[in-house]
Amino acid sequence: MNISQLQKARSAYQPKVPASIEGATKLSEGKATQSVADQDDIKKLFPNTYGMPIVTFEKGSSDANVEAFNVGIILSGGQAPGGHNVISGIFDGIKRLNKDSKLYGFLGGPSGLVDHKYIELTSDIIDEYRNTGGFDIIGSGRTKLEEVEQFDKGLEICKKLNIKAIIIIGGDDSNTNACVLAEYYLAKKTGVQVIGCPKTIDGDLKNEMIETSFGFDTATKVYSEVIGNIERDANSAKKYWHFIKLMGRSASHVTLECALQTQPNVTLIGEEVEAKNQSLDDVVTYIAEAVAARAAKGLNFGTVLVPEGLIEFIPAIKKLIAELNDMLAANQAEFDKVADDKKIEYVANHLSAANAAIFNSLPAGVSRQLALERDPHGNVQVSLIETEQLLADMVAKKLAEWKKEGKFAGKFATQHHFFGYEGRCAAPSNFDADYCYSLGRVAALLIASGKTGYMSSVRNTTKPAAEWLAGGIPITAMMNMEKRNGKMKPVIQKALVKLDGGPFKYFASKRAEWAIETAFVYPGPIQYFGPSEVCDQPTKTLTLEH
Ligand code: FBP
């Protein structure tokens, strides 16, 4: 591989780990856990993995004698900076416990396990990928792992390769699948353990014990750098309003974090739009008012941040999506036979009158995305909906009406952008490099301790890495029941932006000022080498939450 000087220097970076796991460790078990909600249902569905205790690794006196063991890893879902460091952490972790242990990587996501596509990850391969972005070491995929036949196919390859445990590195859906797999393998007494690792740039796989998902730190720093550059451009040319959509399929954490870092004029938070029961027109009016207020001061430029999941938070559209999900699930066989060019019409004809009216009023691209082009988990692929363009056009229309009424005398020219894929494979920040490597090392310890159905956890992350706490959280403790494809299913509860939480409250206390003034902050690029206060800062979200 040809590499840059920075990559060369970066590959020599030794990630920091919690002091408690630097040498020998001992495991301490806490109290039994319960799921976050729907305890009876979850307990019934996970009789073998429900109620397990939270475990913590503390400094031990001597290394236990661990027999060599083999581990298989899967990267699942969207890329997130730091995935390669989770893998190098697992590799170093299992080799420290016994140098004859082996690591296998299943190729192209969960389908690699089912289709028996794998490679052995040796030190030569691992060394090439240390502290790099991307998931290209083994590739990722979005195949759902939820059928018994898939689990059995997976078991075959585990037996063949003498794999003691599988580690699934993924978001909430993938870790839900990890938990189901752990339960199945335990119930069948297969001896194969399953461990999860919290990954997603979206930042929505977190709870009291999982402080953040990896990749969020780096991705939001990359987006904030470019948003800052755009703000500076806007403030230099003073002629454009920039509409910037940011990734984050379901939750608005990425948008909120970027707003805290760059102080744009308008930031939409999907969770607030839902809580206030706002319509698309309310949202458009809110932006137009900010544009008009700045225009009155002669400031015909600005920035608007839009979370990609916004559309799903607008209550009327949320209701429409819920009915669509149920209707499509109930009529799947018939719907599959409908010709492609008749599908939209079919959908409109099978919705209630109120939802059909909303469906028909949406731009064609949006209705198509909502109804037809879901990902394998049934999620609307919001990254493909051009909400930033839609809002810019609607605001322009509103301002034109206000102009006629004498309520707006400014200029309104727009540019639009979408930042998502740009940040998912960035070289991990020091935080993500350290956090991911530590998650990998902890996952290896969980396996050696015989644990299954656990997620690797590293806490106390606003403190220096040496003070981080290492352990494992039973995945069942994060679960509740939710409707998926028309049926109630056990799933990890998604963490949405809390409107009474520190990050949102701070933002809400500042946004009126940011809307009118030009209070932009230009954070600049991620720094990998230099003073700790420049290189090692966690996100503002994490700091304000703790
Ligand atoms: P994960 O939940 O798998 O981490 O992926 C998150 C994400 O990056 C979202 O922000 C985005 O909506 C989606 O993936 C895009 O999916 P795809 O990579 O399939 O285009």
Side-chain angles (χ1 to χ4, degrees), residues 76-80 142 170-174 199-202 204 223 246-250 254 308 375 380-384 418 420-421 424 494:
S76 183
Q79 285 66 249
R142 288 199 184 276
D172 53 342
D173 286 330
S174 310
K199 169 237 74 168
T200 177
I201 61 152
D202 293 4
D204 56 5
Y223 304 143
L246 292 160
M247 257 192 184
R249 190 194 355 245
S250 305
V254 170
E308 67 170 357
D375 79 0
V380 175
Q381 300 189 73
V382 281
S383 62
L384 302 177
F418 169 36
Y421 299 98
R424 299 202 310 183
K494 224 180 242 307

Side-chain angles (χ1 to χ4, degrees), residues 10 21 30 39 138 151 282 310 321 336 405 489 527:
R10 224 23 215 166
I21 62 162
Q39 289 84 10
I138 49 173
F151 301 168
D282 293 333
L310 179 78
I321 293 174
D336 288 345
E405 294 163 16
K489 287 260 167 93
Q527 301 295 307

Side-chain angles (χ1 to χ4, degrees), residues 106-391:
F106 289 103
L107 302 175
S111 62
L113 176 73
V114 180
D115 301 336
H116 301 182
K117 301 245 163 66
Y118 64 90
I119 52 166
E120 186 186 338
L121 292 166
T122 54
S123 60
D124 291 359
I125 302 177
I126 295 287
D127 288 348
E128 249 189 67
Y129 288 90
R130 289 181 191 270
N131 307 309
T132 59
F135 278 6
D136 42 320
I137 188 169
I138 49 173
S140 186
R142 288 199 184 276
T143 300
K144 262 195 299 186
L145 213 51
E146 59 170 16
E147 305 294 337
V148 165
E149 298 80 62
Q150 295 174 307
F151 301 168
D152 290 339
K153 287 296 284 175
L155 188 58
E156 271 174 30
I157 191 69
C158 289
K159 292 292 165 202
K160 183 172 158 207
L161 300 175
N162 196 20
I163 285 176
K164 177 179 164 71
I166 297 170
I167 301 176
I168 299 184
I169 303 167
D172 53 342
D173 286 330
S174 310
N175 275 284
T176 295
N177 294 163
C179 193
V180 176
L181 190 64
E183 175 67 31
Y184 181 80
Y185 284 170
L186 194 55
K188 290 206 118 192
K189 301 194 172 44
T190 61
V192 178
Q193 302 157 233
V194 185
I195 298 294
C197 269
K199 169 237 74 168
T200 177
I201 61 152
D202 293 4
D204 56 5
L205 172 48
K206 63 177 171 182
N207 48 55
E208 265 179 43
M209 305 309 282
I210 302 292
E211 293 179 355
T212 186
S213 55
F214 79 76
F216 178 72
D217 184 273
T218 310
T220 52
K221 283 177 175 146
V222 171
Y223 304 143
S224 297
E225 179 203 347
V226 264
I227 294 166
N229 294 349
I230 287 175
E231 286 179 333
R232 203 151 208 168
D233 195 286
N235 198 17
S236 304
K238 303 194 192 299
K239 63 176 180 180
Y240 292 126
W241 272 86
H242 291 267
F243 282 67
I244 305 169
K245 183 177 78 165
L246 292 160
M247 257 192 184
R249 190 194 355 245
S250 305
S252 308
H253 300 291
V254 170
T255 300
L256 179 56
E257 172 63 24
C258 292
L260 294 170
Q261 288 193 35
T262 62
Q263 304 188 178
N265 304 103
V266 178
T267 302
L268 304 173
I269 298 297
E271 290 82 343
E272 186 184 26
V273 168
E274 181 175 20
K276 290 187 168 165
N277 200 13
Q278 289 179 328
S279 64
L280 196 52
D281 186 59
D282 293 333
V283 172
V284 169
T285 305
Y286 173 65
I287 303 171
E289 277 168 354
V291 174
R294 277 177 67 78
K297 295 180 69 172
L299 304 169
N300 290 301
F301 65 95
T303 42
V304 181
L305 301 191
V306 183
E308 67 170 357
L310 179 78
I311 207 99
E312 284 193 282
F313 278 109
I314 293 173
I317 297 188
K318 194 170 192 162
K319 276 190 208 134
L320 164 66
I321 293 174
E323 192 186 336
L324 268 171
N325 291 346
D326 289 352
M327 187 277 285
L328 290 173
N331 298 294
Q332 197 63 57
E334 188 179 276
F335 180 69
D336 288 345
K337 288 190 202 127
V338 177
D340 274 358
D341 59 340
K342 295 273 181 269
K343 279 196 152 88
I344 288 285
E345 198 183 319
Y346 176 95
V347 170
N349 289 340
H350 284 73
L351 289 171
S352 61
N355 279 334
I358 294 172
F359 187 73
N360 290 329
S361 73
L362 294 170
V366 179
S367 51
R368 211 182 153 74
Q369 283 303 329
L370 295 187
L372 308 183
E373 287 160 15
R374 303 295 182 92
D375 79 0
H377 293 269
N379 298 309
V380 175
Q381 300 189 73
V382 281
S383 62
L384 302 177
I385 300 179
E386 291 181 337
T387 336
E388 70 284 19
Q389 170 85 68
L390 179 73
L391 288 173

